[in-house]
Amino acid sequence: MTDRRPRAAGGEVSIGQDVLVARGLTREFSGFVAVDGVDLSVRKESIHALIGPNGAGKTTCFNLLTRFLEPTRGSIVYDGRDITRMAAADVARLGMVRSFQISAVFPNMTALENVRIALQRGRGDSFDFWRSDRVLSRYNDRALALLDEVGLGAFAGTAAWALPYGRKRALEIATTLALEPQMLLLDEPMAGMAQEDIERISQLIRRIARGRTILMVEHNLSVVSSLSDTITVLARGKVLAEGDYDAISRDERVIEAYIGAAHA
Amino acid sequence: MVTGPETAPAGISVPVTATGAARLHLAIFAVALALALAAPFFLYPVFLMKVLCFALFASAFNLLLGYGGLLSFGHAAYFGSASYVAAHAAKVWGLTPELAILLGTGAAAVLGVVFGALAIRRQGIYFAMVTLAFAQMVYFFSLQAPFTGGEDGIQSVPRGRLFGMISLGPDINLYFFVLAIVVGGLLLIYRIIHSPFGQVLKAIRDNEPRAVSLGYRANRYKLAVFVMSATLAGLAGATKALVFQLASLTDVYWTMSGEVVLITLLGGMGTVFGPIVGAAIVVTMQNYFAGFGAWVTVIQGTIFVIGVLLFREGVVGILARWLRRPL
């Protein structure tokens, strides 16, 4: 609560405060400990990356934080609220929205409809089965604006399955932004992407990070180094090191466990 | 920096606006309704009513499978129990036909709430098995319970007088009553599919974890569509009891659950008109091949296998692909 700066959206938020805090987070799968006593604090309005070699428990950690998995032990506090036992959908309603490793779109719906699904939620008409879906056209302007923002304006009427991979990820981000989340958890946003797409999504992430907190799992180290404020390195389910990219890249344990192995 | 074309490639963009599709559907409905109004003067009304009841039953099932992504293998439970309750109400309690049907439909709705709440906790094949198990419970209950008439079923159910005034005895009177119910039911299903609720349903069907991550409590939507589907299946079953003046074990047996799956897949699951076309095909087959006796099932099975192998999207699904229009 020390330093205050005006947010892009107009409101004021405190900087330097932790928005997501996990303590002693542990998940066991029948004898195998995938995540082992992880302590993690994500500062408000920072971009925080979670890296580590394959099998380090990054995705499990992610699933625990977003409540898609039940932790065996430990606690998770989001925005001052204990969410350790909360339902995944309710966590999303608090403003912490996740993405998935495999691009998560609704394939049989158009790009516009994909975004509208997010806009429609919370407006209280999602159970209205007796009304025509024409009432949803009132979300069209906002949905189109969001699609434009990620460069998908021309694809509004295209079925999501027909979009190229990079565009699917952009659509996913537009859908997520429609919820105006305070915090985004991105699970390998660059996985399987061509270099040009990586550029585009990187810029997009930097843009949407204004006024928001982002926690992401990412393999691409150049992306991590250019985007993130803080990096947490996981190895064998435990936190190995934490700090900015320079500190992490000099850490011998990290070089041995992760970067060294990657360059071997 | 930008990859791919800036405009959508031809052929994969959806050229039809939602209103355009709705207009096409309305036109098809209007033509079908005109045909249905004229049909009893050319074809045997009881046969037509059977088609109508199964069209509604399959459309209700398709609401759950095609739009909710849930494969129930126990829809006979709702169809059959509504049939029993309506038959009992009309015959023993002497209720008017509309009240008997309402009561039967209500019974199916209650069953839908109870079974649905338990079944939606499981996914995929386990969901199908749980629904089948519940349906078998209903079957054995129907076999043992005193009011269902066991092997005999409830026979010679009176068709009664609509609102206590219009006799439904003559086939032609009953036909228009049944047509009104089925058209009403089908329009309701159409509306459910094309509603804000229907959109969320499609999203959950397409990618449930993503829908949850957007804050949708998926199970509530699944339960809601399950109950709607069970209720409308019940409406079809209750109506059928009056048409044939009979409620029997056939209606609750697992083969009935299988038949509705077959009708839906043959016609085209996830299409508006598929179940209706499927019902017309299957009921016609059963009628005209009745002379083959037990071989009907074999012929039906063969046609189904060929159908699944050659056109997996079903008759209407194929048509929709050719026309590039959602049907």
Side-chain angles (χ1 to χ4, degrees):
Chain A
M1 298 287 266
T2 48
D3 178 11
R4 284 181 171 261
R5 77 169 181 207
R7 210 155 62 125
E12 268 199 301
V13 283
S14 52
I15 302 292
Q17 191 186 353
D18 292 333
V19 65
L20 181 67
V21 180
R23 286 285 165 255
L25 205 56
T26 302
R27 170 70 199 205
E28 295 169 4
F29 292 105
S30 53
F32 167 69
V33 186
V35 172
D36 191 359
V38 165
D39 294 328
L40 188 73
S41 298
V42 182
R43 234 174 39 248
K44 200 160 195 160
E45 298 191 16
S46 69
I47 300 183
H48 194 130
L50 207 55
I51 65 171
N54 281 330
K58 304 178 299 281
T59 294
T60 307
C61 199
F62 226 69
N63 285 333
L64 291 172
L65 291 172
T66 48
R67 303 292 303 111
F68 275 70
L69 261 182
E70 221 34 63
T72 314
R73 276 185 299 283
S75 69
I76 310 161
V77 173
Y78 170 70
D79 210 9
R81 216 193 276 232
D82 189 338
I83 60 163
T84 315
R85 302 283 160 209
M86 198 178 264
D90 295 328
V91 171
R93 282 159 184 255
L94 289 180
M96 181 166 97
V97 180
R98 68 166 292 174
S99 75
F100 294 83
Q101 223 170 82
I102 305 157
S103 79
V105 295
F106 303 115
N108 295 307
M109 303 170 89
T110 64
L112 185 80
E113 286 173 328
N114 265 267
V115 179
R116 280 202 319 208
I117 280 292
L119 290 170
Q120 180 188 344
R121 212 263 293 136
R123 302 299 202 285
D125 52 11
S126 292
F127 274 102
D128 292 4
F129 64 85
W130 58 91
R131 290 165 78 187
S132 166
D133 53 11
R134 278 196 296 274
V135 300
L136 296 176
S137 60
R138 69 185 134 144
Y139 304 125
N140 282 2
D141 289 345
R142 178 84 187 107
L144 278 171
L146 283 158
L147 287 174
D148 275 333
E149 203 176 316
V150 299
L152 283 178
F155 295 86
T158 307
W161 61 262
L163 291 172
Y165 188 74
R167 303 271 185 200
K168 279 192 187 126
R169 298 237 77 145
L171 175 59
E172 191 184 338
I173 290 174
T175 308
T176 304
L177 288 180
L179 295 177
E180 293 173 21
Q182 282 308 301
M183 178 157 190
L184 274 82
L185 286 89
L186 308 174
D187 194 356
E188 297 195 29
M190 311 297 175
M193 270 195 197
Q195 193 56 43
E196 303 88 357
D197 283 329
I198 290 179
E199 274 297 307
R200 196 148 45 98
I201 302 292
S202 286
Q203 291 193 1
L204 191 57
I205 290 175
R206 200 170 288 128
R207 195 142 40 88
I208 63 178
R210 277 175 218 139
R212 294 198 175 88
T213 314
I214 294 184
L215 174 65
M216 62 178 191
V217 167
E218 186 49 60
H219 272 303
N220 189 319
L221 284 181
S222 70
V223 169
V224 169
S225 65
S226 71
L227 279 180
S228 23
D229 304 307
T230 315
I231 299 168
T232 300
V233 186
L234 283 183
R236 299 181 186 199
K238 289 183 175 157
V239 176
L240 197 63
E242 193 174 279
D244 61 12
Y245 186 74
D246 289 337
I248 291 296
S249 58
R250 279 195 300 268
D251 194 303
E252 271 177 31
R253 290 165 303 171
V254 176
I255 294 167
E256 191 190 331
Y258 184 77
I259 303 174
H263 286 257
Chain B
M1 184 195 108
V2 170
T3 50
E6 268 311 303
T7 51
I12 56 174
S13 93
V14 182
V16 203
T17 57
T19 34
R23 225 170 278 145
L24 175 67
H25 292 166
L26 197 67
I28 296 173
F29 261 126
V31 171
L33 184 61
L35 286 175
L37 287 171
F41 302 104
F42 302 99
L43 293 163
Y44 181 46
V46 174
F47 161 74
L48 291 171
M49 286 188 274
K50 188 176 178 191
V51 173
L52 286 173
C53 288
F54 276 91
L56 179 58
F57 183 26
S59 295
F61 175 78
N62 182 46
L63 175 64
L64 187 65
L65 175 65
Y67 296 92
L70 296 168
L71 172 60
S72 156
F73 207 79
H75 252 46
Y78 318 106
F79 184 81
S81 53
S83 171
Y84 274 122
V85 170
H88 187 79
K91 190 179 178 185
V92 181
W93 297 337
L95 291 186
T96 52
E98 73 281 357
L99 286 178
I101 289 177
L102 215 58
L103 213 61
T105 310
V110 171
L111 267 189
V113 171
V114 177
F115 291 174
L118 295 165
I120 55 156
R121 290 157 191 270
R122 292 288 169 267
Q123 315 246 332
I125 187 76
Y126 301 102
F127 174 84
M129 298 314 287
V130 169
T131 52
L132 173 62
F134 282 135
Q136 286 303 91
M137 278 166 53
V138 172
Y139 169 76
F140 285 111
F141 174 81
S142 307
L143 189 62
Q144 300 295 333
F147 83 95
T148 57
E151 302 273 2
D152 299 330
I154 305 176
Q155 294 180 7
S156 45
V157 176
R159 286 178 174 178
R161 290 172 168 276
L162 182 60
F163 306 121
M165 293 182 295
I166 309 156
S167 169
L168 294 180
D171 282 346
I172 198 78
N173 289 10
L174 184 65
Y175 176 80
F176 287 107
F177 175 59
V178 170
L179 182 63
I181 289 175
V182 170
V183 168
L186 292 177
L187 287 177
L188 177 61
I189 290 172
Y190 185 80
R191 174 40 58 87
I192 293 171
I193 295 168
H194 299 91
S195 70
F197 172 77
Q199 282 286 308
V200 179
L201 218 52
K202 278 175 230 170
I204 293 173
R205 175 200 65 186
D206 269 15
N207 192 338
E208 185 176 336
R210 179 54 172 163
V212 170
S213 84
L214 293 178
Y216 285 107
R217 294 158 176 146
N219 274 356
R220 297 191 189 185
Y221 293 87
K222 286 190 191 171
L223 179 58
V225 74
F226 192 96
V227 173
M228 288 174 195
S229 175
T231 307
L232 286 157
L235 179 61
T239 309
K240 197 234 72 173
L242 286 194
V243 171
F244 290 99
Q245 304 185 275
L246 171 74
S248 74
L249 286 173
T250 318
D251 302 336
V252 283
Y253 200 44
W254 64 267
T255 51
M256 183 60 84
S257 300
E259 202 164 299
V260 77
V261 178
L262 186 146
I263 289 173
T264 307
L265 292 186
L266 204 60
M269 114 187 183
T271 63
V272 174
F273 299 102
I276 302 169
V277 172
I281 294 172
V282 170
V283 174
T284 307
M285 252 166 28
Q286 286 170 346
N287 251 44
Y288 287 91
F289 296 165
F292 294 103
W295 286 95
V296 179
T297 343
V298 177
I299 297 169
Q300 217 171 298
T302 313
I303 290 178
F304 180 62
V305 169
I306 294 170
V308 169
L309 288 177
L310 291 184
F311 40 96
R312 286 206 327 207
E313 298 136 296
V315 176
V316 173
I318 289 267
L319 271 176
R321 193 149 58 98
W322 278 345
L323 298 172
R324 294 198 175 164
R325 297 276 189 286
L327 287 177

